[in-house]
Coordinates of all heavy atoms in Angstrom, one line a residue:
V25 N -23.5 21.3 28.5 CA -24.5 20.4 27.9 C -24.0 19.0 27.8 O -23.1 18.8 27.0 CB -25.0 21.0 26.6 CG1 -26.1 20.0 26.0 CG2 -25.6 22.4 26.7
L26 N -24.6 18.1 28.5 CA -24.1 16.7 28.5 C -25.1 15.9 27.7 O -26.3 15.9 28.0 CB -24.0 16.1 29.9 CG -22.9 16.9 30.7 CD1 -22.9 16.3 32.2 CD2 -21.5 16.7 30.1
V27 N -24.7 15.2 26.7 CA -25.5 14.5 25.7 C -25.3 13.0 26.0 O -24.2 12.4 26.0 CB -25.2 14.8 24.3 CG1 -26.0 14.0 23.3 CG2 -25.4 16.3 24.0
K28 N -26.5 12.3 26.2 CA -26.4 10.9 26.6 C -27.2 10.1 25.5 O -28.2 10.5 25.0 CB -27.1 10.7 27.9 CG -27.1 9.2 28.4 CD -27.9 9.1 29.7 CE -28.0 7.6 30.0 NZ -28.6 6.8 29.0
Q29 N -26.7 8.9 25.3 CA -27.4 8.0 24.4 C -28.7 7.5 25.1 O -28.6 7.2 26.3 CB -26.6 6.8 24.0 CG -27.3 5.8 23.1 CD -26.4 4.6 22.7 OE1 -25.2 4.6 23.1 NE2 -27.0 3.6 22.1
L30 N -29.8 7.5 24.4 CA -31.1 7.1 25.0 C -31.4 5.7 24.7 O -30.9 5.2 23.7 CB -32.2 8.0 24.6 CG -32.1 9.5 24.9 CD1 -33.3 10.3 24.4 CD2 -31.8 9.8 26.4
D34 N -36.0 5.2 28.3 CA -36.2 6.7 28.1 C -37.4 7.0 27.2 O -37.8 8.2 27.0 CB -35.0 7.4 27.5 CG -33.7 7.2 28.4 OD1 -33.7 7.7 29.5 OD2 -32.8 6.4 28.0
R37 N -40.2 9.3 28.6 CA -39.9 10.8 28.7 C -39.7 11.4 27.3 O -40.0 12.6 27.1 CB -38.6 10.9 29.5 CG -38.8 10.6 31.0 CD -37.6 11.0 31.8 NE -37.9 10.9 33.3 CZ -37.8 9.7 34.0 NH1 -37.4 8.6 33.3 NH2 -38.1 9.7 35.2
M38 N -39.3 10.6 26.3 CA -39.3 11.1 25.0 C -40.7 11.4 24.5 O -40.9 12.4 23.8 CB -38.7 10.0 24.0 CG -37.2 9.8 24.3 SD -36.5 8.4 23.4 CE -37.0 8.8 21.7
H41 N -41.7 14.7 25.9 CA -40.9 15.8 25.2 C -41.6 16.2 23.9 O -41.9 17.3 23.6 CB -39.5 15.4 25.0 CG -38.7 16.3 24.1 ND1 -38.3 17.5 24.4 CD2 -38.4 16.1 22.7 CE1 -37.7 18.1 23.4 NE2 -37.7 17.3 22.4
F42 N -41.8 15.1 23.1 CA -42.4 15.4 21.7 C -43.8 16.0 21.8 O -44.2 16.9 21.1 CB -42.3 14.2 20.9 CG -40.9 13.9 20.3 CD1 -40.2 12.9 20.7 CD2 -40.4 14.8 19.4 CE1 -38.9 12.6 20.3 CE2 -39.1 14.6 18.9 CZ -38.4 13.5 19.3
S44 N -45.0 17.7 24.1 CA -45.1 19.1 24.7 C -44.7 20.1 23.6 O -44.8 21.3 23.9 CB -44.1 19.1 25.9 OG -42.7 19.1 25.4
L45 N -44.2 19.7 22.4 CA -43.9 20.6 21.4 C -45.1 21.3 20.8 O -46.1 20.6 20.6 CB -43.1 20.0 20.3 CG -41.7 19.3 20.6 CD1 -41.2 18.6 19.4 CD2 -40.8 20.4 21.1
R53 N -39.8 20.5 13.2 CA -39.2 19.2 13.4 C -39.5 18.2 12.4 O -38.7 17.4 12.0 CB -39.5 18.8 14.8 CG -39.0 17.3 15.2 CD -37.5 17.2 15.1 NE -37.0 15.9 15.3 CZ -36.9 14.9 14.5 NH1 -37.4 15.1 13.2 NH2 -36.5 13.7 14.8
I77 N -30.3 7.3 19.3 CA -31.1 8.4 19.9 C -30.3 9.1 21.0 O -29.9 8.4 21.9 CB -32.5 7.9 20.4 CG1 -33.1 6.9 19.4 CG2 -33.4 9.1 20.6 CD1 -33.4 7.3 18.1
Y78 N -30.2 10.4 21.0 CA -29.5 11.1 22.0 C -30.4 12.1 22.7 O -31.4 12.6 22.1 CB -28.3 11.9 21.4 CG -27.3 11.0 20.8 CD1 -27.2 10.9 19.4 CD2 -26.4 10.3 21.5 CE1 -26.2 10.1 18.8 CE2 -25.5 9.4 20.9 CZ -25.4 9.3 19.6 OH -24.5 8.5 19.0
G79 N -30.1 12.4 24.0 CA -30.9 13.3 24.8 C -30.1 14.1 25.7 O -29.0 13.8 26.1
V80 N -30.8 15.2 26.1 CA -30.2 16.1 27.2 C -31.3 16.2 28.2 O -32.4 16.6 28.0 CB -29.9 17.5 26.6 CG1 -29.5 18.4 27.7 CG2 -28.8 17.3 25.5
Y81 N -30.9 15.9 29.5 CA -31.7 16.1 30.6 C -31.4 17.4 31.4 O -30.2 17.6 31.6 CB -31.6 14.9 31.6 CG -32.4 13.7 31.1 CD1 -31.8 12.7 30.3 CD2 -33.7 13.5 31.5 CE1 -32.5 11.6 29.9 CE2 -34.4 12.4 31.2 CZ -33.9 11.4 30.3 OH -34.6 10.3 29.9
N82 N -32.4 18.1 31.9 CA -32.1 19.2 32.7 C -31.9 18.8 34.2 O -31.9 17.7 34.5 CB -33.1 20.3 32.5 CG -34.5 19.9 33.1 OD1 -34.7 18.9 33.7 ND2 -35.5 20.8 32.9
K86 N -35.7 16.2 33.5 CA -36.7 16.3 32.4 C -35.9 16.4 31.1 O -34.9 17.0 30.9 CB -37.5 17.6 32.5 CG -38.5 17.9 31.4 CD -39.2 19.2 31.6 CE -40.2 19.4 30.4 NZ -40.9 20.7 30.6
L87 N -36.4 15.6 30.1 CA -35.8 15.5 28.8 C -36.1 16.8 28.0 O -37.3 17.0 27.7 CB -36.3 14.3 28.1 CG -35.5 13.8 26.8 CD1 -34.1 13.5 27.2 CD2 -36.2 12.6 26.2
V88 N -35.1 17.6 27.7 CA -35.3 18.9 27.1 C -34.7 19.0 25.7 O -34.8 20.0 25.0 CB -34.7 20.0 28.0 CG1 -35.5 20.1 29.3 CG2 -33.2 19.8 28.2
G89 N -34.1 17.9 25.2 CA -33.6 17.9 23.9 C -33.4 16.5 23.4 O -33.0 15.6 24.1
V90 N -33.8 16.2 22.1 CA -33.7 14.8 21.6 C -33.1 14.9 20.2 O -33.6 15.7 19.3 CB -35.0 14.1 21.5 CG1 -34.9 12.8 20.8 CG2 -35.6 13.9 22.9
G91 N -32.1 14.2 19.9 CA -31.5 14.1 18.5 C -31.7 12.6 18.0 O -31.3 11.7 18.7
H92 N -32.2 12.5 16.8 CA -32.5 11.2 16.2 C -31.5 11.0 15.0 O -31.6 11.7 14.0 CB -33.9 11.0 15.8 CG -34.3 9.7 15.3 ND1 -35.6 9.4 14.9 CD2 -33.6 8.5 15.1 CE1 -35.7 8.1 14.6 NE2 -34.4 7.6 14.6
F116 N -30.1 13.2 10.4 CA -30.2 13.7 11.7 C -31.4 14.6 11.9 O -31.6 15.5 11.0 CB -28.9 14.4 12.2 CG -28.9 14.9 13.6 CD1 -28.9 14.0 14.7 CD2 -29.0 16.2 13.9 CE1 -28.9 14.5 16.0 CE2 -29.0 16.7 15.2 CZ -29.0 15.8 16.2
G117 N -32.2 14.5 12.9 CA -33.3 15.4 13.3 C -33.2 15.8 14.7 O -32.8 14.9 15.6
V118 N -33.5 17.0 15.1 CA -33.4 17.4 16.5 C -34.5 18.3 16.9 O -35.2 19.0 16.1 CB -32.0 18.2 16.6 CG1 -32.1 19.5 15.8 CG2 -31.7 18.5 18.1
S119 N -34.9 18.2 18.2 CA -35.9 19.0 18.8 C -35.4 19.5 20.2 O -34.8 18.7 20.9 CB -37.2 18.3 18.9 OG -37.1 17.1 19.6
V120 N -35.7 20.7 20.5 CA -35.2 21.3 21.8 C -36.5 22.0 22.4 O -37.2 22.7 21.8 CB -34.1 22.2 21.7 CG1 -33.7 22.9 23.0 CG2 -32.9 21.6 21.0
S121 N -36.7 21.7 23.7 CA -37.8 22.4 24.4 C -37.5 23.9 24.4 O -36.4 24.4 24.5 CB -37.8 21.9 25.9 OG -38.1 20.5 25.9
K122 N -38.6 24.6 24.4 CA -38.6 26.1 24.4 C -37.7 26.7 25.5 O -37.0 27.7 25.3 CB -40.0 26.7 24.4 CG -40.0 28.2 24.3 CD -41.4 28.7 24.3 CE -42.2 28.3 23.0 NZ -43.5 28.9 23.0
S123 N -37.8 26.1 26.7 CA -37.1 26.6 27.9 C -35.6 26.5 27.7 O -34.8 27.2 28.5 CB -37.5 25.8 29.1 OG -37.2 24.5 29.0
M124 N -35.1 25.7 26.8 CA -33.6 25.5 26.7 C -33.0 26.0 25.4 O -31.9 25.7 25.1 CB -33.4 24.0 26.8 CG -33.6 23.4 28.2 SD -32.6 24.1 29.4 CE -31.0 23.4 28.9
R125 N -33.8 26.7 24.6 CA -33.3 27.3 23.3 C -32.3 28.4 23.6 O -32.4 29.1 24.6 CB -34.4 27.7 22.5 CG -35.2 26.5 21.9 CD -36.4 26.9 21.2 NE -37.2 25.7 21.0 CZ -38.5 25.7 20.8 NH1 -39.1 26.9 20.6 NH2 -39.2 24.6 20.7
G128 N -27.3 26.1 23.4 CA -26.4 25.2 22.7 C -26.8 23.8 22.7 O -26.0 22.9 22.3
V129 N -28.0 23.4 23.1 CA -28.4 22.0 23.2 C -28.4 21.4 21.8 O -27.9 20.3 21.6 CB -29.8 21.9 23.9 CG1 -30.3 20.5 23.8 CG2 -29.7 22.4 25.3
G130 N -29.1 22.0 20.8 CA -29.1 21.5 19.5 C -27.8 21.2 18.9 O -27.5 20.2 18.3
S131 N -26.8 22.2 19.1 CA -25.5 22.0 18.5 C -24.8 20.9 19.1 O -24.1 20.1 18.5 CB -24.7 23.3 18.7 OG -25.2 24.4 17.9
K132 N -24.9 20.7 20.5 CA -24.2 19.6 21.2 C -24.8 18.2 20.7 O -24.0 17.2 20.6 CB -24.4 19.7 22.7 CG -23.5 20.9 23.2 CD -22.0 20.6 23.0 CE -21.2 21.6 23.6 NZ -19.7 21.4 23.4
L133 N -26.1 18.2 20.5 CA -26.7 16.9 20.0 C -26.2 16.6 18.6 O -25.9 15.4 18.3 CB -28.2 17.1 20.0 CG -28.9 17.0 21.3 CD1 -30.3 17.6 21.3 CD2 -28.9 15.6 21.9

Side-chain angles (χ1 to χ4, degrees):
V25 177
L26 297 176
V27 177
K28 181 189 175 298
Q29 182 181 349
L30 301 183
D34 301 291
R37 288 188 173 86
M38 291 170 58
H41 167 76
F42 282 111
S44 70
L45 297 176
R53 173 60 181 85
I77 320 295
Y78 297 106
V80 173
Y81 281 89
N82 68 5
K86 178 182 178 182
L87 194 60
V88 293
V90 176
H92 186 177
F116 182 71
V118 64
S119 58
V120 178
S121 299
K122 182 179 292 186
S123 63
M124 292 297 291
R125 287 172 197 162
V129 173
S131 294
K132 288 297 183 181
L133 286 163

